[in-house]
Amino acid sequence: MADGVPVVFIAGTGRSGSTLLGNAIGSVPGAFAVGEARQIWGRGLRHDWDCGCGARFSTCSFWQEVMRTAFPEGVDIERLLASDRALLRLRASRRATGWSQDPELVPAEHRYYLDSLARLYPAMHMVSGATVLIDSSKTPSYAALLAAAQAVDLRVLHLVRDPRAAAYSWLSPKASPDRRGSERMDRLGAAKSATLWVVWNRAVESLLRAHPDLASVRLTYEDFMAEPRLSLRNAIDRLAPELAGADLPLMGRSIRLVTSHTVSGNADRMRQGEIGLESDERWKQGLRARHQLAVLAIGALSMRRYGYGLRVHG
Protein backbone atom coordinates (compact mmCIF):
# COMPACT_ATOMS: atom_id res chain seq x y z
CA MET A 1 0.00 0.00 0.00
CA ALA A 2 1.36 3.40 -1.02
CA ASP A 3 0.86 4.97 2.42
CA GLY A 4 2.57 2.10 4.25
CA VAL A 5 6.13 1.82 5.51
CA PRO A 6 8.59 1.99 2.57
CA VAL A 7 10.33 -1.40 2.43
CA VAL A 8 12.81 -2.63 -0.15
CA PHE A 9 12.37 -6.39 0.06
CA ILE A 10 15.27 -8.52 -1.21
CA ALA A 11 13.65 -11.63 -2.67
CA GLY A 12 15.27 -14.83 -3.90
CA THR A 13 16.99 -17.85 -2.42
CA GLY A 14 19.60 -18.39 0.26
CA ARG A 15 23.33 -18.07 -0.38
CA SER A 16 22.79 -15.46 -3.06
CA GLY A 17 24.58 -12.54 -1.41
CA SER A 18 21.48 -10.98 0.14
CA THR A 19 23.19 -10.25 3.46
CA LEU A 20 25.93 -8.18 1.83
CA LEU A 21 23.51 -6.46 -0.54
CA GLY A 22 21.06 -5.67 2.24
CA ASN A 23 23.75 -4.22 4.48
CA ALA A 24 25.21 -2.29 1.54
CA ILE A 25 21.90 -0.55 0.80
CA GLY A 26 21.28 -0.23 4.53
CA SER A 27 24.52 1.76 4.79
CA VAL A 28 23.13 4.47 2.48
CA PRO A 29 22.00 7.53 4.51
CA GLY A 30 18.26 7.30 5.07
CA ALA A 31 18.11 3.51 4.73
CA PHE A 32 18.11 0.94 7.52
CA ALA A 33 18.77 -2.81 7.17
CA VAL A 34 16.70 -5.05 9.46
CA GLY A 35 18.05 -8.32 8.09
CA GLU A 36 15.68 -11.27 7.74
CA ALA A 37 12.80 -9.75 9.67
CA ARG A 38 10.64 -12.84 9.14
CA GLN A 39 12.98 -14.63 11.59
CA ILE A 40 12.29 -12.25 14.47
CA TRP A 41 9.85 -14.60 16.22
CA GLY A 42 12.08 -17.69 16.27
CA ARG A 43 15.70 -16.61 16.00
CA GLY A 44 15.10 -13.35 17.82
CA LEU A 45 12.51 -13.85 20.54
CA ARG A 46 12.71 -17.61 21.01
CA HIS A 47 16.39 -18.42 20.48
CA ASP A 48 17.97 -15.03 21.28
CA TRP A 49 20.48 -14.97 18.43
CA ASP A 50 22.87 -12.06 18.20
CA CYS A 51 21.78 -8.82 16.57
CA GLY A 52 24.03 -7.44 13.85
CA CYS A 53 25.34 -4.93 16.39
CA GLY A 54 26.86 -7.79 18.42
CA ALA A 55 24.44 -7.76 21.35
CA ARG A 56 21.95 -10.53 21.96
CA PHE A 57 18.49 -9.83 20.64
CA SER A 58 17.20 -9.67 24.21
CA THR A 59 19.70 -6.95 25.17
CA CYS A 60 19.83 -4.93 21.92
CA SER A 61 18.37 -1.51 22.69
CA PHE A 62 17.00 -1.10 19.17
CA TRP A 63 15.02 -4.34 19.13
CA GLN A 64 13.79 -3.95 22.67
CA GLU A 65 12.41 -0.51 21.84
CA VAL A 66 10.79 -1.93 18.69
CA MET A 67 9.09 -4.68 20.68
CA ARG A 68 7.89 -2.25 23.36
CA THR A 69 6.51 0.06 20.70
CA ALA A 70 4.81 -2.62 18.59
CA PHE A 71 3.68 -4.99 21.33
CA PRO A 72 3.43 -3.27 24.72
CA GLU A 73 1.26 -6.16 25.90
CA GLY A 74 3.73 -8.80 24.62
CA VAL A 75 3.25 -11.42 21.90
CA ASP A 76 2.10 -15.02 21.67
CA ILE A 77 5.32 -16.54 20.33
CA GLU A 78 3.90 -20.05 19.96
CA ARG A 79 1.01 -18.80 17.89
CA LEU A 80 3.29 -16.72 15.68
CA LEU A 81 5.72 -19.59 15.12
CA ALA A 82 2.87 -21.95 14.24
CA SER A 83 1.60 -19.50 11.64
CA ASP A 84 5.12 -18.96 10.33
CA ARG A 85 5.55 -22.69 9.76
CA ALA A 86 2.14 -23.06 8.11
CA LEU A 87 2.25 -19.99 5.88
CA LEU A 88 5.87 -20.03 4.79
CA ARG A 89 6.53 -23.71 4.08
CA LEU A 90 7.53 -24.45 0.52
CA ARG A 91 4.27 -26.02 -0.61
CA ALA A 92 2.33 -22.94 0.53
CA SER A 93 4.20 -20.70 -1.92
CA ARG A 94 1.68 -21.39 -4.70
CA ARG A 95 -1.09 -19.80 -2.66
CA ALA A 96 0.95 -16.81 -1.56
CA THR A 97 0.19 -14.62 -4.56
CA GLY A 98 -3.51 -14.97 -3.81
CA TRP A 99 -2.93 -13.71 -0.27
CA SER A 100 -1.28 -10.56 -1.58
CA GLN A 101 -4.28 -9.88 -3.84
CA ASP A 102 -6.96 -10.72 -1.28
CA PRO A 103 -6.00 -10.82 2.43
CA GLU A 104 -9.30 -12.58 3.15
CA LEU A 105 -7.78 -15.70 1.59
CA VAL A 106 -5.37 -16.00 4.51
CA PRO A 107 -6.95 -18.56 6.89
CA ALA A 108 -8.60 -16.95 9.90
CA GLU A 109 -6.34 -18.75 12.37
CA HIS A 110 -3.37 -16.86 10.91
CA ARG A 111 -4.81 -13.34 11.07
CA TYR A 112 -2.92 -12.73 14.31
CA TYR A 113 0.28 -13.18 12.29
CA LEU A 114 -0.84 -10.55 9.77
CA ASP A 115 -1.88 -8.18 12.54
CA SER A 116 1.54 -8.61 14.15
CA LEU A 117 3.30 -7.72 10.89
CA ALA A 118 1.10 -4.65 10.60
CA ARG A 119 2.39 -3.51 13.98
CA LEU A 120 6.02 -4.64 13.63
CA TYR A 121 7.00 -2.73 10.49
CA PRO A 122 5.71 0.70 11.55
CA ALA A 123 7.54 0.22 14.86
CA MET A 124 10.81 -0.66 13.10
CA HIS A 125 10.36 2.35 10.86
CA MET A 126 9.67 4.74 13.73
CA VAL A 127 12.40 3.51 16.09
CA SER A 128 15.06 3.42 13.35
CA GLY A 129 14.24 6.97 12.23
CA ALA A 130 15.03 5.83 8.69
CA THR A 131 13.21 6.76 5.51
CA VAL A 132 13.32 3.27 3.97
CA LEU A 133 13.71 -0.18 5.55
CA ILE A 134 15.72 -2.92 3.83
CA ASP A 135 14.38 -6.42 4.52
CA SER A 136 16.44 -9.36 3.24
CA SER A 137 13.96 -12.07 4.28
CA LYS A 138 14.06 -13.38 0.67
CA THR A 139 11.04 -15.71 0.95
CA PRO A 140 8.51 -14.61 -1.72
CA SER A 141 5.54 -15.94 0.28
CA TYR A 142 6.59 -13.66 3.15
CA ALA A 143 6.63 -10.71 0.75
CA ALA A 144 3.08 -11.65 -0.23
CA LEU A 145 2.09 -11.67 3.44
CA LEU A 146 3.55 -8.21 3.90
CA ALA A 147 1.39 -7.03 1.04
CA ALA A 148 -1.61 -8.76 2.61
CA ALA A 149 -0.91 -7.12 5.97
CA GLN A 150 -1.34 -3.77 4.24
CA ALA A 151 1.22 -2.03 6.44
CA VAL A 152 4.05 -1.91 3.91
CA ASP A 153 4.74 0.03 0.74
CA LEU A 154 6.49 -2.94 -0.84
CA ARG A 155 9.26 -2.66 -3.43
CA VAL A 156 10.99 -5.86 -4.60
CA LEU A 157 14.66 -6.35 -5.38
CA HIS A 158 14.84 -9.78 -7.01
CA LEU A 159 18.36 -11.06 -6.38
CA VAL A 160 19.55 -14.01 -8.47
CA ARG A 161 22.82 -15.90 -8.30
CA ASP A 162 24.13 -18.80 -10.39
CA PRO A 163 22.56 -21.83 -8.65
CA ARG A 164 25.86 -23.71 -8.88
CA ALA A 165 27.50 -21.04 -6.75
CA ALA A 166 24.59 -21.23 -4.31
CA ALA A 167 24.86 -25.03 -4.21
CA TYR A 168 28.58 -24.82 -3.47
CA SER A 169 27.88 -22.42 -0.60
CA TRP A 170 25.12 -24.67 0.81
CA LEU A 171 27.43 -27.70 0.66
CA SER A 172 30.37 -25.94 2.32
CA PRO A 173 30.51 -25.78 6.13
CA LYS A 174 30.40 -22.22 7.41
CA ALA A 175 30.78 -20.94 10.94
CA SER A 176 27.83 -19.13 12.48
CA PRO A 177 29.02 -17.43 15.68
CA ASP A 178 25.82 -15.37 15.95
CA ARG A 179 23.68 -18.43 16.72
CA ARG A 180 22.74 -19.91 20.06
CA GLY A 181 23.08 -23.69 20.30
CA SER A 182 24.68 -24.14 16.86
CA GLU A 183 28.12 -23.21 15.58
CA ARG A 184 27.49 -23.71 11.86
CA MET A 185 25.00 -22.58 9.26
CA ASP A 186 22.52 -25.04 7.77
CA ARG A 187 23.62 -27.16 4.81
CA LEU A 188 21.73 -28.53 1.80
CA GLY A 189 22.56 -30.97 -0.97
CA ALA A 190 22.97 -29.76 -4.55
CA ALA A 191 19.66 -31.16 -5.80
CA LYS A 192 17.63 -29.68 -2.96
CA SER A 193 19.29 -26.27 -3.19
CA ALA A 194 18.67 -26.23 -6.96
CA THR A 195 15.02 -27.13 -6.43
CA LEU A 196 14.60 -24.31 -3.93
CA TRP A 197 16.34 -21.97 -6.36
CA VAL A 198 13.87 -22.78 -9.12
CA VAL A 199 10.73 -22.75 -6.94
CA TRP A 200 11.50 -19.54 -5.07
CA ASN A 201 12.62 -17.59 -8.13
CA ARG A 202 9.48 -18.65 -9.98
CA ALA A 203 7.42 -17.59 -6.98
CA VAL A 204 9.04 -14.14 -7.06
CA GLU A 205 8.18 -13.84 -10.74
CA SER A 206 4.60 -14.95 -10.03
CA LEU A 207 4.23 -12.30 -7.33
CA LEU A 208 5.53 -9.59 -9.65
CA ARG A 209 3.24 -10.67 -12.50
CA ALA A 210 0.27 -10.47 -10.14
CA HIS A 211 1.29 -6.93 -9.15
CA PRO A 212 2.55 -5.19 -12.30
CA ASP A 213 2.35 -1.83 -10.53
CA LEU A 214 4.85 -2.96 -7.88
CA ALA A 215 8.27 -1.31 -8.17
CA SER A 216 10.81 -4.04 -8.86
CA VAL A 217 14.36 -4.60 -10.06
CA ARG A 218 16.10 -7.84 -10.95
CA LEU A 219 19.80 -7.91 -10.06
CA THR A 220 22.26 -10.77 -10.32
CA TYR A 221 24.97 -11.29 -7.74
CA GLU A 222 27.47 -11.41 -10.59
CA ASP A 223 26.41 -8.00 -11.94
CA PHE A 224 26.49 -6.50 -8.45
CA MET A 225 30.05 -7.67 -7.94
CA ALA A 226 31.13 -6.56 -11.43
CA GLU A 227 29.52 -3.08 -11.19
CA PRO A 228 28.65 -2.36 -7.54
CA ARG A 229 28.20 1.40 -7.97
CA LEU A 230 26.00 1.13 -11.04
CA SER A 231 23.99 -1.72 -9.46
CA LEU A 232 23.34 0.11 -6.20
CA ARG A 233 22.51 3.39 -7.89
CA ASN A 234 20.04 1.72 -10.24
CA ALA A 235 18.37 -0.21 -7.42
CA ILE A 236 18.06 2.83 -5.18
CA ASP A 237 16.82 5.16 -7.92
CA ARG A 238 14.10 2.72 -8.97
CA LEU A 239 13.10 1.24 -5.62
CA ALA A 240 13.84 4.01 -3.13
CA PRO A 241 13.48 7.34 -4.89
CA GLU A 242 13.23 8.90 -1.42
CA LEU A 243 17.00 8.33 -1.23
CA ALA A 244 17.81 9.80 -4.65
CA GLY A 245 21.09 11.68 -4.52
CA ALA A 246 22.27 10.01 -1.30
CA ASP A 247 25.95 9.17 -1.18
CA LEU A 248 26.81 5.53 -1.80
CA PRO A 249 29.16 3.88 0.73
CA LEU A 250 31.58 2.82 -2.01
CA MET A 251 35.27 3.54 -2.50
CA GLY A 252 36.41 1.81 -5.68
CA ARG A 253 36.18 -1.93 -5.02
CA SER A 254 35.48 -1.45 -1.31
CA ILE A 255 32.33 -0.72 0.64
CA ARG A 256 31.96 0.88 4.05
CA LEU A 257 29.29 -0.86 6.10
CA VAL A 258 27.67 0.82 9.09
CA THR A 259 26.82 -1.11 12.25
CA SER A 260 23.57 -2.90 11.55
CA HIS A 261 20.70 -4.16 13.66
CA THR A 262 19.97 -7.16 11.47
CA VAL A 263 17.91 -9.75 13.28
CA SER A 264 19.10 -12.72 11.23
CA GLY A 265 21.05 -13.69 8.13
CA ASN A 266 24.49 -14.82 7.12
CA ALA A 267 27.01 -14.36 9.94
CA ASP A 268 28.81 -11.84 7.72
CA ARG A 269 26.09 -9.38 8.75
CA MET A 270 28.23 -8.74 11.84
CA ARG A 271 30.93 -7.15 9.69
CA GLN A 272 31.29 -3.39 9.64
CA GLY A 273 33.73 -0.82 8.36
CA GLU A 274 35.53 -1.04 5.03
CA ILE A 275 35.49 -4.41 3.26
CA GLY A 276 36.59 -5.41 -0.22
CA LEU A 277 34.12 -6.56 -2.85
CA GLU A 278 35.33 -9.77 -4.44
CA SER A 279 33.08 -12.08 -6.41
CA ASP A 280 33.19 -15.57 -4.89
CA GLU A 281 33.89 -17.90 -7.81
CA ARG A 282 35.32 -20.82 -5.85
CA TRP A 283 32.49 -23.04 -7.02
CA LYS A 284 34.01 -23.24 -10.52
CA GLN A 285 36.87 -25.30 -9.14
CA GLY A 286 35.36 -26.64 -5.94
CA LEU A 287 31.91 -27.91 -6.96
CA ARG A 288 32.11 -31.49 -8.14
CA ALA A 289 30.97 -32.27 -11.67
CA ARG A 290 28.16 -34.53 -10.43
CA HIS A 291 26.81 -31.70 -8.28
CA GLN A 292 26.99 -29.27 -11.20
CA LEU A 293 25.14 -31.77 -13.39
CA ALA A 294 22.45 -32.20 -10.73
CA VAL A 295 21.93 -28.43 -10.63
CA LEU A 296 21.82 -28.22 -14.42
CA ALA A 297 19.28 -31.03 -14.67
CA ILE A 298 16.92 -29.17 -12.36
CA GLY A 299 17.56 -25.53 -13.16
CA ALA A 300 18.66 -25.33 -16.81
CA LEU A 301 15.52 -23.62 -18.15
CA SER A 302 15.55 -20.90 -15.50
CA MET A 303 19.31 -20.52 -15.78
CA ARG A 304 19.01 -19.76 -19.50
CA ARG A 305 16.33 -17.18 -18.79
CA TYR A 306 18.61 -15.42 -16.30
CA GLY A 307 21.56 -15.51 -18.68
CA TYR A 308 23.69 -18.26 -17.12
CA GLY A 309 25.76 -20.63 -19.24
CA LEU A 310 25.29 -24.38 -18.90
CA ARG A 311 28.77 -25.81 -19.25
CA VAL A 312 30.35 -27.83 -16.47
CA HIS A 313 33.36 -26.08 -14.89
CA GLY A 314 36.44 -27.52 -13.27
Side-chain angles (χ1 to χ4, degrees):
M1 57 187 297
D3 56 349
V5 174
V7 174
V8 173
F9 186 93
I10 301 177
T13 57
R15 311 301 175 94
S16 294
S18 60
T19 296
L20 176 59
L21 180 60
N23 280 6
I25 302 176
S27 296
V28 174
F32 190 91
V34 296
E36 298 177 14
R38 64 149 292 199
Q39 303 287 3
I40 190 171
W41 319 118
R43 296 178 181 178
L45 290 171
R46 167 57 62 81
H47 299 297
D48 202 21
W49 284 20
D50 288 350
C51 172
C53 69
R56 290 196 179 196
F57 183 87
S58 61
T59 60
C60 171
S61 58
F62 170 76
W63 285 112
Q64 293 313 297
E65 182 61 24
V66 167
M67 297 307 293
R68 283 192 295 268
T69 301
F71 311 105
E73 76 287 2
V75 296
D76 186 337
I77 298 177
E78 294 301 330
R79 190 175 175 186
L80 289 167
L81 290 175
S83 289
D84 187 270
R85 289 190 294 269
L87 296 172
L88 301 179
R89 57 189 173 184
L90 188 61
R91 64 185 179 184
S93 61
R94 293 183 179 180
R95 302 194 299 272
T97 298
W99 301 336
S100 67
Q101 295 173 311
D102 183 3
E104 294 299 316
L105 294 176
V106 178
E109 63 267 28
H110 302 306
R111 299 293 168 78
Y112 176 69
Y113 189 92
L114 289 188
D115 291 344
S116 297
L117 295 182
R119 298 168 69 174
L120 175 65
Y121 280 78
M124 292 191 296
H125 189 234
M126 186 186 75
V127 175
S128 69
T131 303
V132 179
L133 298 180
I134 314 301
D135 185 338
S136 53
S137 291
K138 295 185 290 296
T139 314
S141 51
Y142 184 73
L145 286 169
L146 289 182
Q150 299 182 341
V152 165
D153 177 5
L154 190 67
R155 303 96 181 264
V156 176
L157 177 48
H158 183 189
L159 178 63
V160 181
R161 187 183 186 184
D162 191 312
R164 292 163 294 189
Y168 178 76
S169 180
W170 279 112
L171 285 164
S172 303
K174 184 166 184 176
S176 184
D178 57 329
R179 300 188 177 203
R180 300 294 165 185
S182 175
E183 295 180 354
R184 295 192 179 278
M185 295 184 68
D186 299 335
R187 298 174 70 183
L188 293 177
K192 185 169 185 179
S193 73
T195 300
L196 287 174
W197 185 88
V198 170
V199 172
W200 279 18
N201 282 313
R202 285 180 179 173
V204 176
E205 293 175 0
S206 177
L207 177 66
L208 295 178
R209 283 195 302 270
H211 296 277
D213 57 337
L214 201 65
S216 66
V217 169
R218 181 184 296 162
L219 174 65
T220 68
Y221 166 88
E222 293 79 10
D223 284 346
F224 173 50
M225 285 299 172
E227 296 284 352
R229 183 172 295 277
L230 179 63
S231 298
L232 285 182
R233 180 57 66 195
N234 179 58
I236 291 170
D237 287 350
R238 293 175 61 184
L239 300 179
E242 301 92 338
L243 307 180
D247 292 335
L248 299 181
L250 290 167
M251 298 76 65
R253 295 292 306 172
S254 296
I255 189 166
R256 184 174 295 280
L257 300 178
V258 301
T259 301
S260 76
H261 286 287
T262 48
V263 70
S264 179
N266 188 303
D268 289 345
R269 66 193 172 90
M270 318 295 287
R271 299 174 70 183
Q272 55 187 278
E274 188 172 335
I275 65 170
L277 293 174
E278 288 290 337
S279 183
D280 186 352
E281 302 290 329
R282 290 175 296 170
W283 70 270
K284 291 182 177 179
Q285 301 300 321
L287 187 63
R288 294 179 180 179
R290 62 185 177 90
H291 290 144
Q292 293 188 49
L293 290 169
V295 173
L296 292 173
I298 294 168
L301 290 177
S302 293
M303 290 174 68
R304 285 196 187 99
R305 189 164 67 255
Y306 296 139
Y308 293 112
L310 303 181
R311 77 180 182 89
V312 174
H313 292 261

